[in-house]
Amino acid sequence: MNQVKIYDVAGAAGVSLATVSRVLNHPEKVKPATRERIEKIIKELGYKPNLNAKGLASSKSTTVAIMVPELTRSSVAEMINGIADCARRRGYLLRLFVNNNRGQEAPIESEKELWGDVIASGVDGVLYINDELTNEHLELIMEASVDVVLTNTICNDPGVPSVSIDYVKAAYDITKEMISRGNKDIWMITSMRKYMVNDLKVEGYNKAMQEAGLEPKVIPVSGKTELNEATYREILSKSYPEVAIVVRDSMAVSFINIARTFGIKIPEQLQVIGFQNTRYAVLSRPKLTCINTPIYELGEAAMNLLTNLMEEKMGEDVENLQQLIDYNIVWRETTK
Amino acid sequence: MNQVKIYDVAGAAGVSLATVSRVLNHPEKVKPATRERIEKIIKELGYKPNLNAKGLASSKSTTVAIMVPELTRSSVAEMINGIADCARRRGYLLRLFVNNNRGQEAPIESEKELWGDVIASGVDGVLYINDELTNEHLELIMEASVDVVLTNTICNDPGVPSVSIDYVKAAYDITKEMISRGNKDIWMITSMRKYMVNDLKVEGYNKAMQEAGLEPKVIPVSGKTELNEATYREILSKSYPEVAIVVRDSMAVSFINIARTFGIKIPEQLQVIGFQNTRYAVLSRPKLTCINTPIYELGEAAMNLLTNLMEEKMGEDVENLQQLIDYNIVWRETTK
DNA sequence: CTGAAAGCGCTTACAG
DNA sequence: CTGAAAGCGCTTACAG
């Protein structure tokens, strides 16, 4: 089962290897009759170009890097599914770089190292996933010699391509909706750790509250269930709001669990809304009302944007460099 | 920021590029003084070998493919974390192939296609993740021209390298333990869809029940929450066991939720045990007792095995071709 | 429309 | 211990 090479198909077709290469890369330059004959032979022999050779010769590898900071959250898995499906359709392969800079002495050095590896690996573009973008990260991104699209984050510079969800608007909308239903005492529960996406949610919440002349109350809490339960207990032993909007649905479920131990009736006395709409929402009792963030579609769109960028299909379409994916609200049992 | 090449460092060091290549690949063949000088220059210039060229010249790419069937389940994400960490330590890069054969007319053809892509991409080895191994899949694996290790599955042929968890023993042990606590009416709830890992759990359960002279009762149910709830309702409206062992903790949580709507007291009247120990277990009320399957460690071990195989460090150590990772039981609130 | 040839950036026998 | 040279399997101007 030795790998068949371009020479083999050239031989079998009675043409030079240049012609075979052409039917693969510039079919329009080959006479249809020849082309079809060669295509048939390629199929018969099961020829697949060696990617290393192709990459070296053309300095295009038709592969894209996904850079992720840890892969623990299921949302990232779902996003990668979307990326992979789109990649396959568009003919790209994927490299995976997991960015375990966490708790390193020099996180930025380590990030620079990683970018070095990514570039040396010869990818044509990168999908950059990072909830905690700093200016230093951005600099590295701008310096990169390949196309990069921010996935599930945005940055202020409109020249940096990104695909994200309009978290500000989502939080604003849901807050406003709950206000319009007559609620005044609405809290926002966010993660202690600074994640850009969560900051955006807080921003939208604050805006809606201020516009309504209401006092915003933002409560930072650990993202880890084992840790946030104690905080929730402390808070709930004093008081609770009419509505709690929580930046992640797992954190919302945990909040519900603790609230119920205080005998607080959900949704009668306390309504809870989460973000993300993972399976936690459906396994929770009562079932959690959520902002649904279509993370698969987000991955797909990001890969699509990147492909267009790499293939220079954007033209003057600088407008669409920063795309936003629609969210929607899934009403369940934790709201009235 | 043009990429620096091996010529550049050779020039800067006043040696031939062969020598630079040697310090990278066979440092012991280079005089220490020269080696150190070159290493310093490599660092200064930030030289990273072009992987395509390296791969082409040496027919070793120091990259490994991960083949996954969809990436939706969070367990796979956690496994990939373990793989990635180990890969980094061992100096390997990762390619990701998502195997979306689902619902295709000719799944095996599509699988063959995929293997073609994987091999053509020039990886040195593959980590093969697939819960639904058939003989046809196995044939493709055996035919592969690179090392393959089955990750989180086993096959009967002891010559096929794998890293898994001893699901038979885990299920056997927990069943036996519950029997020894005086329970007789113990059910096993499994997935309707045939997953090898779940079949193994059922096997262990059956064995323990039979040994104790008890009647096994295996109930197949959908893995999807929206679908299994109806089944659970139907079953529980008739009767319920003393203990239910459920092959996945998300399915166990869903079972608990429905049982509670029937007023069944957990764990007083019904004890529930899950497999996997994801966050569902801790977000559930009561908190779920679980077989903890260390999926991160499993990923690590699989990558480690593969690396040893590729680097031929196994020697005659054919014994350890099929590794099993230890599990343990996490007792929580759904058992007495 | 097609072929001969140079070149992509490395590695590795082979001499020395 | 080191260098000159061939070769890995492709792509792509350049001729024709």
Side-chain angles (χ1 to χ4, degrees), chain A residues 249-297:
Chain A
D249 57 6
S250 59
M251 288 164 63
V253 171
S254 172
F255 185 68
I256 292 169
N257 285 336
I258 302 301
R260 293 183 73 187
T261 67
F262 281 88
I264 303 169
K265 297 254 175 282
I266 295 170
E268 294 78 2
Q269 298 171 285
L270 165 61
Q271 301 180 71
V272 181
I273 296 162
F275 273 84
Q276 231 165 73
N277 197 32
T278 62
R279 268 173 86 195
Y280 300 121
V282 167
L283 288 173
S284 141
R285 284 305 118 102
K287 294 182 184 165
L288 184 69
T289 290
C290 274
I291 309 289
N292 177 40
T293 53
I295 208 77
Y296 174 95
E297 285 77 7

Side-chain angles (χ1 to χ4, degrees), chain A residues 168 172 175 201-213 216:
Chain A
V168 178
Y172 176 81
T175 307
K201 294 167 196 169
V202 172
E203 184 185 328
Y205 159 81
N206 279 336
K207 193 173 156 225
M209 292 296 276
Q210 275 150 11
E211 279 183 18

Side-chain angles (χ1 to χ4, degrees), chain A residues 300-317:
Chain A
E300 249 185 333
M303 181 65 204
N304 211 38
L305 212 206
L306 181 59
T307 313
N308 288 341
L309 250 23
M310 292 185 303
E311 297 175 356
E312 283 160 351
K313 289 196 176 147
M314 296 298 289
E316 293 306 299
D317 190 6

Side-chain angles (χ1 to χ4, degrees), chain B residues 37-333:
Chain B
R37 188 157 49 89
I38 296 177
E39 278 167 349
K40 198 163 149 253
I41 294 178
I42 289 179
K43 206 161 269 173
E44 282 171 13
L45 266 49
Y47 168 68
K48 302 250 183 192
N50 175 313
L51 270 194
N52 282 325
K54 182 176 173 149
L56 180 57
S58 66
S59 64
K60 272 194 262 140
S61 57
T62 56
T63 106
V64 150
I66 306 178
M67 287 172 77
V68 242
E70 278 190 295
L71 204 78
T72 19
R73 277 192 254 124
S74 54
S75 57
V76 176
E78 187 60 25
M79 195 183 320
I80 291 181
N81 262 323
I83 294 171
D85 284 349
C86 179
R88 203 168 196 187
R89 276 198 301 277
R90 295 279 225 142
Y92 283 81
L93 296 182
L94 262 21
R95 273 188 192 280
L96 186 66
F97 291 86
V98 179
N99 196 344
N100 269 335
N101 298 339
R102 292 281 141 83
Q104 221 138 357
E105 342 72 58
I108 265 297
E109 280 314 305
S110 153
E111 174 95 6
K112 199 176 284 182
E113 263 290 306
L114 189 64
W115 272 103
D117 290 343
V118 170
I119 299 303
S121 79
V123 296
D124 300 340
V126 358
L127 255 22
Y128 187 82
I129 305 175
N130 188 346
D131 258 352
E132 301 168 286
L133 262 191
T134 67
N135 285 331
E136 290 167 305
H137 288 116
L138 270 174
E139 261 172 48
L140 288 172
I141 291 168
M142 319 269 262
E143 275 172 15
S145 50
V146 296
D147 289 305
V148 181
V149 355
L150 303 185
T151 307
N152 206 24
T153 12
I154 337 183
C155 82
N156 299 326
D157 185 336
V160 180
S162 65
V163 176
S164 183
I165 281 167
D166 196 342
Y167 291 110
V168 179
K169 185 165 184 300
Y172 176 80
D173 286 352
I174 190 69
T175 309
K176 227 178 148 182
E177 169 69 22
M178 296 316 280
I179 294 172
S180 79
R181 293 185 181 195
N183 302 292
K184 291 189 160 27
D185 194 13
I186 304 176
W187 293 0
M188 180 72 163
I189 299 178
T190 187
S191 60
M192 292 186 87
R193 187 144 159 186
K194 258 186 107 42
Y195 291 112
M196 166 163 302
V197 294
N198 292 346
D199 287 349
L200 298 173
K201 294 167 197 169
V202 172
E203 185 186 328
Y205 159 82
N206 279 336
K207 192 172 155 226
M209 292 296 276
Q210 276 151 9
E211 279 181 17
L214 297 172
E215 187 71 24
K217 179 160 178 184
V218 177
I219 301 172
V221 134
S222 166
K224 292 199 203 294
T225 309
E226 314 81 58
L227 299 177
N228 63 29
E229 290 192 343
T231 318
Y232 286 150
R233 240 185 297 273
E234 203 189 307
I235 295 168
L236 289 165
S237 68
K238 295 182 201 136
S239 69
Y240 61 90
E242 295 169 280
V243 178
I245 302 174
V246 189
V247 292
R248 223 145 64 200
D249 56 5
S250 59
M251 287 164 64
V253 171
S254 171
F255 185 68
I256 292 170
N257 285 336
I258 302 302
R260 293 183 74 187
T261 66
F262 282 89
I264 303 170
K265 296 256 176 280
I266 296 170
E268 294 78 3
Q269 298 171 286
L270 165 61
Q271 302 179 72
V272 181
I273 296 162
F275 273 83
Q276 235 166 67
N277 198 32
T278 61
R279 269 172 87 192
Y280 299 121
V282 166
L283 288 173
S284 140
R285 283 304 118 104
K287 294 181 184 165
L288 184 70
T289 290
C290 273
I291 309 289
N292 177 41
T293 52
I295 209 78
Y296 174 94
E297 285 77 7
L298 198 157
E300 251 185 331
M303 181 63 204
N304 210 39
L305 211 207
L306 181 58
T307 313
N308 288 341
L309 249 25
M310 292 184 304
E311 298 176 356
E312 285 162 349
K313 290 198 176 145
M314 296 297 289
E316 293 308 300
D317 189 5
V318 188
E319 311 265 316
N320 281 319
L321 235 41
Q322 302 207 352
Q323 291 176 205
L324 291 174
I325 301 294
D326 270 349
Y327 60 88
N328 63 301
I329 303 175
V330 182
W331 297 100
R332 292 205 186 84
E333 305 166 354

